[in-house]
Amino acid sequence: MIKTESALLHDCPFCGAAEHKALLHYDISVTSDSRPGAGPVSNRQCLACGGVFNASGSRYHVDSFYSDHYQLLSDSDLAEFVYQLNQEAQTRGINDQMIDHIVANLNLPEQGRLLEVGSGKGLFLKKFSERFPGWSLSSVEPSRNAQSYLARLVPGARFHFGSFQTCPFANETFDLVVSIGVLEHIPEPVDFARRLHDCTSSNGAVFISVPNFRHNPSDLIAYDHLSRFSAESLRGVLARAGLKVRMSHEADMVPMWVVAKPDAGMQPERAALSAALALADAAEDWMRQSFEVYDRLGRLDASRRIGIYGTGIAVMGAASLTSLTAERIACFFDDNMHLHGKERLGRPVVALDQFRALGITDICFSANPCYLPRLEAKVRSVCGDAVAMWPLPALRAA
């Protein structure tokens, strides 16, 4: 057991307990906007509630990190995460999927007031306004990089470019309060969720989306993700903030989301500690085994040309911590057309069907395990026996 003894070890941000244990530590990590070479990550797990958190990373300079440096999905105005919906390979952008679930679970009127905290470029607000033009939109966003995008994509919204704490309309109430991909970045998630609660009208709702650690073991090397949420730990945080989850969506992908409503009588459920410990153990094993694959790949003869399918952060970290350096990688393949023509680790991002033109002999992956079966099947379909495929491990059931 580890108690609070230094600047890097403090009480659990989920439940406040002082006892937690060390998980994987990385001296070099990767930011969630795919910048390698970030500082150390010290993963910890609470021995009271089972929550997994990053005790270092960006925890002690959050404001400057997001205002000055953060550039997630800034490859173009409309770049967003895209996910396959079914076996027929139909895809749909993540913002449309989330709005679909909001519409299905909330009886939204034609007019209302929406606040999004952490709007990024504004794609959610843009798509929401197209479906609900009668709603007034307010946005809080600290990133300087996002400001020009927001002004172009959502010209009718009201903006605050700064922190939630300094927002001039944080004392107002709204019919729908949205926070997408934000809570995992916050040093004190219960306090933040409580502020979301306080901005929600008595009949309103809060929509929150975060990465699901159950499908996202590579999050252990993410510098600026300070909480590794499972569905259970997310419900616990929201309960402590007075929010009751009314709908949750967990699919075979990394993002999960919930619709919650204010409930003064909410109490967190008793933690299933053994399941939480098993989940963290499985995630650690997956990271170790994946880095072993990357290390073996990096030791191939220099004549082999290596392509990486996927632009997840795992291989970004491996490039600093294994033999698979950036110089050994010829290109990245990705199915997201918004990334084509861009670069990762100084290497081009292209469609998989470019493998012959680039002389690729070996293909490995940089994606979380929930996506690997589909990616492996596509390599077999597109490339056949023309390349050697280097699978990453399956995630052990927890």
Side-chain angles (χ1 to χ4, degrees), residues 142-361:
S143 168
R144 292 194 182 104
N145 177 67
Q147 294 181 17
S148 60
Y149 291 100
L150 277 163
R152 290 197 302 272
L153 294 175
V154 202
R158 179 174 57 158
F159 303 117
H160 171 66
F161 295 116
S163 70
F164 194 17
Q165 295 94 319
T166 62
C167 176
F169 37 88
N171 294 324
E172 302 175 17
T173 58
F174 297 82
D175 304 298
L176 181 60
V177 177
V178 175
S179 189
I180 299 168
V182 174
L183 194 62
E184 68 271 21
H185 297 265
I186 302 299
E188 303 297 339
V190 175
D191 289 346
F192 183 85
R194 194 172 290 120
R195 288 197 294 273
L196 297 179
H197 167 284
D198 293 346
C199 289
T200 308
S201 66
S202 58
N203 295 318
V206 178
F207 179 87
I208 293 176
S209 177
V210 296
N212 186 350
F213 187 50
R214 184 169 299 279
H215 295 312
N216 190 30
S218 65
D219 211 35
L220 288 170
I221 202 169
Y223 178 77
D224 49 302
H225 284 184
L226 304 180
S227 297
R228 325 297 193 193
F229 286 111
S230 65
E232 295 76 18
S233 62
L234 177 61
R235 284 199 300 269
V237 163
L238 297 183
R240 291 180 178 89
L243 290 166
K244 183 174 184 178
V245 173
R246 302 291 185 176
M247 181 281 294
S248 62
H249 175 76
E250 294 179 70
D252 201 17
M253 61 183 187
V254 169
M256 64 176 173
W257 50 79
V258 300
V259 171
K261 293 200 170 186
D263 187 328
M266 273 305 297
Q267 295 293 325
E269 301 171 0
R270 183 179 177 85
L273 187 58
S274 61
L277 293 171
L279 176 61
D281 188 57
E284 288 187 298
D285 280 351
W286 187 86
M287 285 295 287
R288 291 189 190 99
Q289 294 170 26
S290 296
F291 272 43
E292 289 171 1
V293 173
Y294 292 141
D295 192 61
R296 293 197 303 272
L297 186 63
R299 296 178 188 278
L300 289 175
D301 184 272
S303 64
R304 309 292 290 184
R305 288 183 58 79
I306 299 168
I308 301 297
Y309 194 179
T311 53
I313 66 172
V315 83
M316 311 288 175
S320 298
L321 298 169
T322 74
S323 298
L324 185 61
T325 61
E327 291 73 24
R328 291 302 329 266
I329 299 171
C331 69
F332 285 84
F333 301 113
D334 204 280
D335 297 332
N336 189 338
M337 61 179 294
H338 294 296
L339 301 183
H340 295 167
K342 308 303 180 182
E343 291 186 348
R344 293 293 185 269
L345 294 177
R347 299 295 183 264
V349 181
V350 299
L352 183 61
D353 59 11
Q354 298 298 305
F355 81 97
R356 288 189 189 277
L358 293 170
I360 299 302
T361 60

Side-chain angles (χ1 to χ4, degrees), residues 5 30 33 35 73-74 96 107 112 114 116 119 182 184 197 236 246 288 302 316 319 324 328 350 364 366 377 396:
E5 295 176 349
V30 185
D33 58 348
R35 287 179 287 127
L73 295 172
S74 60
D96 283 315
N107 185 24
L114 182 152
E116 185 176 15
S119 304
V182 174
E184 68 271 21
H197 167 284
R246 302 291 185 176
R288 291 189 190 99
M316 311 288 175
L324 185 61
R328 291 302 329 266
V350 299
C364 192
S366 188
R396 174 165 48 84

